Amino acid sequence: SYNSDLVISPLYKATLQVDNQIFLGSKAFFLKKLSLAHIAVPPGFVLTTEVFRRRYAISNHHEIKKEFDNLIRRNLRKLEKVTGRQFGNPSNPLLLSVRSGTAISMPGAMDTFLNVGMNDQLVEGLSKQPNYAWTSWDCYRRFLQSWGMAHGIHRDVFDGIIQDYKNRYEIDLKMYFLPDHMKQVAKSYRQAIADHNVYFEQDLFKQLNTTINYVFDSWDSERAKVYRKHMQIADEWGTAVIVQKMI
């Protein structure tokens, strides 16, 4: 009963078959309402709960998986046209957030990724642009932390690293780091991920796919199960995934 017409919905365009909270989740449903009312919302697209319900069939069937990947690529290209940015272009990058979207909000229970679309090569190029040195390395640092934590590395590992650099340079807040200091912090996060035998994906489309799958899989995390039990949310409802431009 898998229907590929129901799996992706742009935030900036009406798709009547799936424009409801069951398919989109509450977050994306109201983001779309704002967008269609011409209120400024960063553009993006939603992988609906249809994907969640059929994700094992999608991942285990070569032709369906190929079609699904092509749908993501097509919507990514459309997002590039809407934003005037390009996924993977260091001089004008499209960076993405990848977040969950459930019918009833589950704050803090699911994985979230920020600044998806960064790798070692892109951040080096972006950091050489005027006024982007500090920001690019800070964005990369945040993405590396979310990647590591989704793979089971505890937050304290990353907090310990940045605190060590604050002590080393005798500052209280990260905003006082120089760009080179922030680069050192980000590279230390990168090393910590490697030290925990976690593979960090450099291929940007595979990276996006990986983050999408991790958000879907986080529906079955222990914290999500506990939250659903407390709030009496059915396990079968599942989650959508929102892929949205970072601002």
Side-chain angles (χ1 to χ4, degrees):
S1 62
Y2 168 74
N3 185 347
S4 60
D5 292 335
L6 304 178
V7 302
I8 295 187
S9 173
L11 289 176
Y12 49 84
K13 180 181 176 183
T15 48
L16 298 180
Q17 283 182 291
V18 297
D19 283 351
N20 58 66
Q21 288 166 264
I22 302 301
F23 276 95
L24 301 182
S26 293
K27 188 186 299 177
F29 176 74
F30 289 110
L31 283 172
K32 175 171 272 200
K33 278 200 170 289
L34 290 170
S35 180
L36 294 178
H38 306 293
I39 295 171
V41 172
F45 57 89
V46 186
L47 302 166
T48 72
T49 54
E50 175 75 1
V51 181
F52 174 88
R53 288 187 288 272
R54 314 297 179 207
R55 69 192 192 279
Y56 298 117
I58 293 170
S59 61
N60 289 301
H61 191 291
H62 175 73
E63 290 303 320
I64 295 178
K65 182 67 169 68
K66 183 179 178 182
E67 177 193 40
F68 179 69
D69 285 349
N70 285 337
L71 284 171
I72 295 177
R73 289 182 192 276
R74 196 180 310 156
N75 279 272
L76 196 55
R77 299 289 90 82
K78 290 178 181 177
L79 194 54
E80 288 178 331
K81 289 181 180 178
V82 169
T83 61
R85 294 182 174 271
Q86 189 176 9
F87 193 63
N89 181 350
S91 62
N92 187 30
L94 172 62
L95 301 182
L96 304 168
S97 64
V98 180
R99 302 178 292 158
S100 64
T102 55
I104 296 176
S105 180
M106 296 172 54
M110 309 279 285
D111 285 339
T112 292
F113 295 89
L114 303 176
N115 304 315
V116 176
M118 300 191 85
N119 58 16
D120 294 349
Q121 183 180 0
L122 186 138
V123 70
E124 287 283 1
L126 184 61
S127 67
K128 291 177 173 58
Q129 292 191 39
N131 300 320
Y132 269 84
W134 189 97
T135 301
S136 58
W137 288 108
D138 185 45
C139 286
Y140 200 37
R141 176 194 66 80
R142 293 178 71 192
F143 177 39
L144 290 167
Q145 177 167 338
S146 61
W147 184 279
M149 289 178 62
H151 287 77
I153 303 175
H154 200 277
R155 180 186 296 273
D156 289 350
V157 171
F158 300 103
D159 288 348
I161 290 171
I162 200 167
Q163 188 59 51
D164 285 345
Y165 278 98
K166 287 178 180 178
N167 295 340
R168 182 183 305 180
Y169 294 112
E170 299 181 338
I171 62 171
D172 296 325
L173 301 172
K174 69 167 187 171
M175 64 184 290
Y176 298 124
F177 281 133
L178 298 175
D180 188 61
H181 300 161
M182 188 59 77
K183 179 178 181 178
Q184 293 172 39
V185 174
K187 290 201 166 188
S188 293
Y189 278 28
R190 180 86 167 80
Q191 186 60 50
I193 289 173
D195 291 343
H196 283 79
N197 297 315
V198 171
Y199 175 70
F200 177 71
E201 184 60 71
Q202 294 285 329
D203 181 288
L204 294 183
F205 186 74
K206 290 180 180 178
Q207 183 188 99
L208 175 59
N209 246 326
T210 300
T211 59
I212 289 168
N213 288 328
Y214 264 95
V215 174
F216 277 127
D217 290 344
S218 69
W219 177 262
D220 292 319
S221 68
E222 284 306 310
R223 66 185 185 275
K225 289 178 180 177
V226 169
Y227 190 93
R228 287 201 301 277
K229 184 177 180 181
H230 179 70
M231 297 297 292
Q232 299 182 12
I233 298 172
D235 291 338
E236 293 78 12
W237 285 8
T239 184
V241 174
I242 306 165
V243 178
Q244 193 174 14
K245 175 184 175 289
M246 294 288 296
I247 55 172

